[in-house]
Amino acid sequence: ATLDALIEGAPANNRNVAVAVARAAQARASPGTVRAQCLPQVRGEGTAGGGGAPGVPIQKPETTQGPDGSKIETVLKPDGTRVETVTWPNGDKSVTETRKDGSVSIQTERADGTAARTSKDKNGAVESQVVLSQKAVRESERTKAPIPLPIPPVLSGADSRQAPVVKVETETKGKAVITIPVTGATPGTVGVLIHPDGTQEIIRKSVNTETGVTLSVEHGAVVKIMENTRTFSDIDGHWAKDSIDFVASHELYSGTSPTTFSPDMEMTRSMLAVVLYHLEGSPDIAGTNVFQDIREDTWYTRAVDWAAERKIVSGYDNGKFGPEDPISREQLTVMLYRYVGSPAHHGTARSFQDADQVSAYAREAVDWAVETGIISGTGAGTLNPQGVVTRAQAAAMLVRLMEQIR
């Protein structure tokens, strides 16, 4: 990619890091041109220090100004390493060290105290470490916006052994919502949590955005970015393919066979309970079965018991749940609304021609779903609240929900 293309393709809030990476790439491609960014300090006034040859003079720093007002100081060490330090008007600083063997290290310090270091070895393996400052976390909580990590965009890998690793630490305890910049992310791109014992777990609540993968980390985390798209023979060209790729790659849905998804099959009440149970991480439950028609040995028993314990489902008046009953649009909406805690809202579904057909128990949930865009109605300007939901339709609504609660 050209320098301009690398820079233009980066999100605005990570543009400084993209400039650093692009300059490093240009420096490797054009030995006669000094362009890169990183943080190792050049020691000594006129002779090499550290790894340089004794008595060999270090090139005097070349100082220029970038079009964005940044100050760029470049040094060529005797061993061929290029070091470029860039300081931006807002106080951000980035230093890139590009070595002759192709390895690169980038250190970034933001004005808010967040610091990052990214290294790429000569074989192309990439690892980043980020320490989020208390100020950055508090500002994210105030604005309800994720923190974009100040690292170069990573390229997700299908091979777990080659997937880029990002280690995130926080100066404070608690949860932080971050965006890891990713190049070429697809609906099947996922964040994978690496536990201290080495086991790995897909972060089911990670959400793909235009700039990367957004997810929550608790007290810091080690995360891999991977491509986990599943292949189904019956979704090519389907209007909901992206949503299906998302829910399948995040292990919220299973296929109806190893090769099929059955997108137009009716979604059942038990299926949705299982999806939400998976989304929550399949937690342990304390309650017991409260429905007459739920056996103890089915694939959905624990999910339905969990949903009842969380008051996401309440069943029918006859004491049954109806696990195999097709789920209606308003029933699904109610379950999603209760799942997120029945939040306050100001929306209304009255603009739809059939709004009066929404059942009384579902009106609050439907109003909320219309306001948040989780339900957009049919092409005929109706809600069709009693209409049956397909697996594909439910997948699309679930993706919209996750984009709301990220």
Side-chain angles (χ1 to χ4, degrees), residues 244-268:
I244 293 168
D245 284 343
F246 181 93
V247 297
S249 65
H250 285 69
E251 296 184 348
L252 302 176
Y253 274 59
S254 298
T256 52
S257 81
T259 59
T260 59
F261 184 82
S262 303
D264 300 317
M265 175 187 289
E266 293 178 343
M267 188 81 171
T268 66

Side-chain angles (χ1 to χ4, degrees), residues 71-296:
K71 177 186 175 183
I72 308 164
E73 184 178 274
T74 308
V75 172
L76 179 63
K77 289 185 175 182
D79 63 1
T81 299
R82 297 179 184 276
V83 180
E84 183 173 278
T85 303
V86 181
T87 305
W88 282 269
N90 67 352
D92 290 355
K93 183 178 181 180
S94 183
V95 184
T96 302
E97 182 171 328
T98 307
R99 304 175 189 85
K100 292 183 69 174
D101 63 359
S103 60
V104 179
S105 63
I106 302 174
Q107 292 191 31
T108 303
E109 297 176 352
R110 278 187 175 159
D112 64 11
T114 294
R117 179 182 180 87
T118 297
S119 61
K120 185 182 79 169
D121 66 23
K122 62 183 180 181
N123 298 317
V126 178
E127 183 169 343
S128 297
Q129 297 181 341
V130 181
V131 179
L132 300 175
S133 68
Q134 180 178 355
K135 183 177 180 180
V137 174
R138 294 290 178 261
E139 180 65 11
S140 173
E141 292 173 346
R142 185 185 70 81
T143 61
K144 300 188 184 303
I147 304 169
L149 299 190
I151 61 175
V154 302
L155 183 64
S156 65
D159 185 344
S160 176
R161 295 168 299 180
Q162 298 297 322
V165 176
V166 180
K167 182 178 181 180
V168 182
E169 299 177 6
T170 60
E171 292 182 350
T172 58
K173 294 182 179 180
K175 182 177 71 172
V177 182
I178 63 172
T179 295
I180 299 174
V182 179
T183 298
T186 73
T189 303
V190 298
V192 178
L193 181 66
I194 304 176
H195 293 285
D197 62 2
T199 58
Q200 301 183 18
E201 173 189 359
I202 288 179
I203 303 173
R204 289 171 169 146
K205 290 185 179 180
S206 63
V207 177
N208 303 340
T209 69
E210 293 181 357
T211 59
V213 175
T214 296
L215 50 89
S216 296
V217 293
E218 197 91 26
H219 308 301
V222 180
V223 179
K224 282 185 178 181
I225 300 298
M226 291 186 56
E227 183 60 40
N228 196 42
T229 301
R230 306 299 174 86
T231 301
F232 297 112
S233 62
D234 56 352
I235 65 171
D236 287 343
H238 196 281
W239 66 269
K241 183 180 186 305
D242 284 353
S243 296
I244 293 168
D245 284 343
F246 181 93
V247 297
S249 65
H250 285 69
E251 296 184 348
L252 302 176
Y253 274 59
S254 298
T256 52
S257 81
T259 59
T260 59
F261 184 82
S262 303
D264 300 317
M265 175 187 289
E266 293 178 343
M267 188 81 171
T268 66
R269 289 164 57 82
S270 59
M271 285 181 186
L272 185 61
V274 169
V275 167
L276 295 179
Y277 183 58
H278 286 169
L279 180 58
E280 201 60 21
S282 304
D284 293 333
I285 57 175
T288 57
N289 182 20
V290 297
F291 299 114
Q292 302 173 14
D293 55 346
I294 301 296
R295 301 194 312 272
E296 296 183 358

Side-chain angles (χ1 to χ4, degrees), residues 316-387:
Y316 299 128
D317 292 339
N318 61 5
K320 296 182 178 181
F321 177 72
E324 302 301 334
D325 291 352
I327 193 167
S328 70
R329 288 166 61 85
E330 65 178 14
Q331 287 174 346
L332 184 146
T333 301
V334 168
M335 289 179 67
L336 297 185
Y337 181 58
R338 292 174 179 171
Y339 171 75
V340 297
S342 303
H345 62 87
H346 304 287
T348 178
R350 293 173 187 170
S351 61
F352 291 93
Q353 300 172 18
D354 57 349
D356 60 341
Q357 296 179 24
V358 177
S359 301
Y361 79 92
R363 285 174 189 161
E364 284 290 320
V366 172
D367 286 346
W368 162 81
V370 169
E371 179 185 22
T372 56
I374 293 172
I375 284 183
S376 55
T378 68
T382 61
L383 283 169
N384 190 21
Q386 277 79 45

